[in-house]
Amino acid sequence: MDRFLIRGGVPLHGAIPIGGAKNAALPLLAAGLLTNERLLLTNVPRIADIDTMAELLRHHGIAVEDAGHSSASLLVGGDITCTEAPYEIVSKMRASILVLGPLLARAGEARVSLPGGCAIGTRPVDLHLKGLEAMGAEIRLEGGYVDARAPNGLQGARIVLPFASVGATENLVMAASLAAGRTEIINAAREPEIGDLLACLTAMGAAIEGAGSDKLIIDGVPKLHAARHRILPDRIECGTYACAVGITGGEVRLVGGCLEHLGAVARALEEAGVEIAQEETALRVRRAGGLHGVDVMTEPYPGFPTDMQAQFMALLSVAEGASMMTETIFENRFMHVPELNRMGARINVHGASAIIRGVPALSAAPVMATDLRASFSLILAGLAASGETALSRIYHLDRGYEAVERKLSGCGARIERVAE
Ligand code: UD1
């Protein structure tokens, strides 16, 4: 198992390339199940979660190949030869549930392992299942698996989501693209990654109205076809590196970053004292003065994303004054707090809120990553701390961030990966 050694205290200067969005790439790969023709995806991030989704698609009989001309391109497509998503793969990555809708819509059946809970919360999939049932699927839960059947195909339906779930919206849109008739999804999630999926499905021949809004209307078509799609830049990676500049000081161009998608994160960073400006092909991020405390609440898009909560909390831990961070999406997403406190932060958790009393400086300590975003919050703390921070269990980080040590050390950070 690898770990990172980080010697903090160096302001970052330079440029960091922002890769394709993990949370767009995963559903887009699943969309490859919707046609036997080839889907060419470009700007695919090189991260472990993509390898896991590719492994799952290959298990279903779908070819996933390097498109050759660019290492960041994948060609996806083929005939479905197996409709089971086994526990061994699904348990590695919850987003595997995204194959359920496409398998059911194209093959009329699917047996997908229930993903179960994960470190950040219980994360049920009831909304995915209820939506598919409304479209006529017969669903049974047996032996830890979702057994779904639609022998005569899926039918369009009106589905009201009680919560704007990202994954449920994606699964249902993909299923509805090949269903008979019209599907309406009310209170659909509006994350930019969903917009990216809708754009790709439309390029594949799907008939979808309402992109960007919370009401999607999908008129099912009998068949989808080949398409080419460039994955949008990762707004969470972008926000994470903006926090890195904020916590160390300095000035960095985030190449490929998009201010509009950063939305509430950019506003919170600016309120905390980090300047952000959109240039033609990059975001320029700079901190010249001090950091100030800010109150933030995580919400579905366009609110502040839960996937930025841990990183922003690291930044707030050294901001002047007190801040409050309220987590409304996942019930157990403060696992970075005890680790940050071991590095000298003063954070108290009360239910779904954390009070962060800013300290003048953090100090290095051995710390442990518990999940993807929590891992990066500890890197951020390490970049700001005096001394050498050893961060273990960084396999969590490799699931969703590409070339972390290369991107950071390219801007002057002292970070090194060592085999344990
Ligand atoms: C996606 C993202 C994840 C992000 C999350 C919220 C991907 C691959 N993952 O996860 O990084 O943190 O959105 O922005 O895109 N819920 C239910 N029943 C359901 C579905 C969800 O109760 O059937 C609850 C969840 O437990 C959670 C909340 O709804 O509390 C949000 O979940 P959801 O938006 O579905 O997140 P994911 O799609 O799992």
Side-chain angles (χ1 to χ4, degrees), residues 106 134 227 231 286 303 390 409:
R106 180 138 165 253
I231 296 171
R286 185 173 96 101
S409 55

Side-chain angles (χ1 to χ4, degrees), residues 23 123-128 163 165-167 306-307 329-330 333:
N23 286 353
R123 301 182 79 173
V125 291
D126 55 316
L127 304 178
H128 303 235
F163 177 85
S165 155
V166 172
T306 174
D307 286 351
I329 310 291
F330 293 112
R333 209 172 192 180

Side-chain angles (χ1 to χ4, degrees), residues 292-323:
H292 324 287
V294 184
D295 291 349
V296 177
M297 184 187 288
T298 64
E299 286 171 309
Y301 191 83
F304 188 96
T306 174
D307 286 351
M308 279 300 304
Q309 183 256 102
Q311 304 91 306
F312 200 70
M313 195 184 292
L315 178 91
L316 294 176
S317 72
V318 291
E320 196 187 327
S323 307

Side-chain angles (χ1 to χ4, degrees), residues 96-413:
S96 307
I97 191 73
L98 294 173
V99 300
L100 177 61
L103 282 175
L104 196 53
R106 180 138 165 253
E109 58 171 44
R111 200 173 122 80
V112 178
S113 170
L114 278 165
C118 69
I120 62 174
T122 50
R123 301 182 79 173
V125 291
D126 55 316
L127 304 178
H128 303 235
L129 305 187
K130 280 185 193 139
L132 292 170
E133 276 177 334
M135 296 171 76
E138 293 159 22
I139 294 182
R140 283 188 312 154
L141 300 182
E142 217 173 51
Y145 276 75
V146 177
D147 223 319
R149 269 162 217 288
N152 303 316
L154 294 168
Q155 281 87 48
R158 185 170 192 273
I159 300 165
V160 181
L161 291 176
F163 177 85
S165 155
V166 172
T169 302
E170 292 167 344
N171 236 335
L172 297 174
V173 166
M174 289 191 279
S177 299
L178 287 181
R182 173 168 284 196
T183 298
E184 288 181 10
I185 304 176
I186 318 293
N187 196 27
R190 289 180 283 163
E191 271 67 5
E193 294 74 25
I194 290 180
D196 211 40
L197 173 65
L198 299 180
C200 179
L201 291 172
T202 303
M204 292 166 75
I208 304 173
E209 276 174 44
S213 79
D214 61 359
K215 181 175 173 186
L216 299 176
I217 300 174
I218 305 112
D219 284 311
V221 294
K223 214 171 167 296
L224 294 177
H225 53 67
R228 180 193 177 107
H229 180 80
R230 181 176 168 82
I231 296 171
L232 89 172
D234 196 317
R235 67 194 165 99
I236 304 299
E237 187 190 29
C238 187
T240 300
Y241 286 116
C243 284
V245 181
I247 203 165
T248 62
E251 181 167 337
V252 169
R253 289 176 67 246
L254 301 176
V255 180
C258 167
L259 186 59
E260 191 193 330
H261 291 162
L262 213 50
V265 174
R267 288 191 292 280
L269 279 164
E270 277 170 349
E271 210 182 319
V274 183
E275 297 164 31
I276 304 188
Q278 179 82 61
E279 294 181 344
E280 208 170 318
T281 57
L283 275 186
R284 184 177 290 280
V285 183
R286 185 173 96 101
R287 176 168 70 79
L291 288 169
H292 324 287
V294 184
D295 291 349
V296 177
M297 184 187 288
T298 64
E299 286 171 309
Y301 191 83
F304 188 96
T306 174
D307 286 351
M308 279 300 304
Q309 183 256 102
Q311 304 91 306
F312 200 70
M313 195 184 292
L315 178 91
L316 294 176
S317 72
V318 291
E320 196 187 327
S323 307
M324 183 155 82
M325 175 65 82
T326 304
E327 171 60 59
T328 73
I329 310 291
F330 293 112
E331 72 265 31
N332 188 26
R333 209 172 192 180
F334 285 138
M335 281 163 311
H336 41 287
V337 169
E339 298 298 286
L340 289 173
N341 283 348
R342 294 185 63 247
M343 297 179 70
R346 286 182 63 209
I347 306 172
N348 288 314
V349 174
H350 301 273
S353 293
I355 311 288
I356 304 121
R357 294 185 177 83
V359 295
L362 297 172
S363 54
V367 282
M368 204 178 275
T370 49
D371 68 66
L372 172 60
R373 307 303 172 184
S375 317
F376 218 117
S377 80
L378 299 174
I379 291 189
L380 296 177
L383 291 174
S386 55
E388 184 173 86
T389 296
L391 173 61
S392 51
R393 300 203 177 167
I394 59 171
Y395 54 87
H396 287 292
L397 205 79
D398 293 331
R399 287 188 48 191
Y401 286 98
E402 182 176 338
V404 173
E405 62 274 40
R406 185 157 49 79
K407 291 186 183 189
L408 283 172
S409 55
C411 290

Side-chain angles (χ1 to χ4, degrees), residues 20 40-47 50-51 58 64-75 228 230-231 402 406:
L40 175 62
L41 296 174
T42 64
N43 203 29
V44 182
R46 287 178 152 234
I47 50 175
I50 296 297
D51 298 338
R58 289 190 190 108
V64 182
E65 295 155 9
D66 217 310
H69 48 87
S70 147
S71 57
S73 303
L74 288 178
L75 202 48
R228 180 193 177 107
R230 181 176 168 82
I231 296 171
E402 182 176 338
R406 185 157 49 79

